[in-house]
């Protein structure tokens, strides 16, 4: 590619990025106004841990008030499938102004690209699906449109806690539906409304979890798997709200990460402070992910303390049989 063409391409890319940032700021205010607090994906100040804690607390409260609860974890195989052909109408119905919709349409429609390799550049080709920094907030609007049409906001069925009816919790494309009963009708409504806008639910990855035994469900020709627990956002969610299995699982994952770091921790080129930072940055976050919603017993707190001591002993290559106090090892890590 000639130098002048290369420079023009880079400038065009920079200008596009600036415009996308401005568009994102203007669209985001409308998105924030339309989205309910049950959606935590791609939102400032919200994350997976918030939704993990919410799911666990709902299950815990349902058990406390002796309510039967059934949860369905839904996943979609593709995030953005039909922005080019259908999404503009949805944006208008969700309150996005016409001038912003026109700008977005011009960005997505008729876009072409070329790939530069070591052997030159390829022929120009048309982009069929647009993915940019705006895609997450646009998808949130898209998902909200589906949920509103499915009637989840007006539905009386769900799990009632503190005078509030909760029937769904969302993190981007991962949706957890919950109800004391009528969950299957919820699931069918969401499936039907998704298909109307060409978004297909992945029934094979959909899981049903109930606090009491239920018969198997069939959606079309596919059977929905019934489980005693499922993985949502990383942690393991159980039907009885027990966290002990999740704590054991996290400790095992932490041991695996610590073992994988052996070759680095045994290197003479890595100083002790750097090794300590590695353990704190790569091992402990794996173990403590989602711990904000844990209710730990004395035995479980002891397991976590034992794991921490095991990590530091492995770092200093102290034999497990050696009688050395935890405080002496901690003093060596942080003398002050």
């Amino acid at each position: 590619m000639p130098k002048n063409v290369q420079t023009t391409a880079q400038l065009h890319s920079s200008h596009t990025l600036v415009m996308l940032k401005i568009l994102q700021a203007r669209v985001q205010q409308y998105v924030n106004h339309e989205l309910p607090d049950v959606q935590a994906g791609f939102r400032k100040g919200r994350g997976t841990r918030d939704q993990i804690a919410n799911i666990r607390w709902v299950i815990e409260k349902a058990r406390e008030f002796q309510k039967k609860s059934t949860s369905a974890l839904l996943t979609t195989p593709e995030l953005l499938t039909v922005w080019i052909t259908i999404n503009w109408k949805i944006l208008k119905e969700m309150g996005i102004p016409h001038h912003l919709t026109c700008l977005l349409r011009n960005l997505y429609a008729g876009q072409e690209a070329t790939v530069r390799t070591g052997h030159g550049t390829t022929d120009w080709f048309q982009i069929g699906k647009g993915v940019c920094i705006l895609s997450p907030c646009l998808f949130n609007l898209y998902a909200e449109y589906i949920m509103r049409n499915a009637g989840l906001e007006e539905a009386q069925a769900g799990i009632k806690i503190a005078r509030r009816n909760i029937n769904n919790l969302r993190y981007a494309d991962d949706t957890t539906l919950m109800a004391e009963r009528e969950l299957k009708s919820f699931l069918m409504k969401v499936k039907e409304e998704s298909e109307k806008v060409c978004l297909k639910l992945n029934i094979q990855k959909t899981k049903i979890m109930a606090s009491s035994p239920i018969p198997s469900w069939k959606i079309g020709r596919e059977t929905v798997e019934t489980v005693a627990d499922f993985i949502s956002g990383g942690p393991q969610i159980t039907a009885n709200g027990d966290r002990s299995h999740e704590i054991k699982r996290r400790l095992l994952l932490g041991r695996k990460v610590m073992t994988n770091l052996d070759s680095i921790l045994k290197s003479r080129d890595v100083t002790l402070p750097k090794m300590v930072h590695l353990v704190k940055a790569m091992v402990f976050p794996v173990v403590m992910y989602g711990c904000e919603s844990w209710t730990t017993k004395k035995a479980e707190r002891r397991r976590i303390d034992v794991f921490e001591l095991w990590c530091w002993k492995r770092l200093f290559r102290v034999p497990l049989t050696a009688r050395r106090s935890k405080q002496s090892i901690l003093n060596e890590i942080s003398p002050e």
Side-chain angles (χ1 to χ4, degrees), residues 92-109:
K92 182 180 178 182
E93 292 187 22
M94 293 301 291
I96 302 298
H98 179 68
H99 68 282
L100 293 180
T101 304
C102 287
L103 281 171
L104 289 167
R105 185 190 291 116
N106 292 334
L107 275 174
Y108 278 89

Side-chain angles (χ1 to χ4, degrees), residues 13-28:
S13 177
S14 301
H15 290 161
T16 303
L17 186 60
V18 171
M19 186 173 69
L20 285 173
K21 284 285 188 182
I22 296 169
L23 261 177
Q24 184 185 33
R26 294 186 180 180
V27 171
Q28 192 66 55

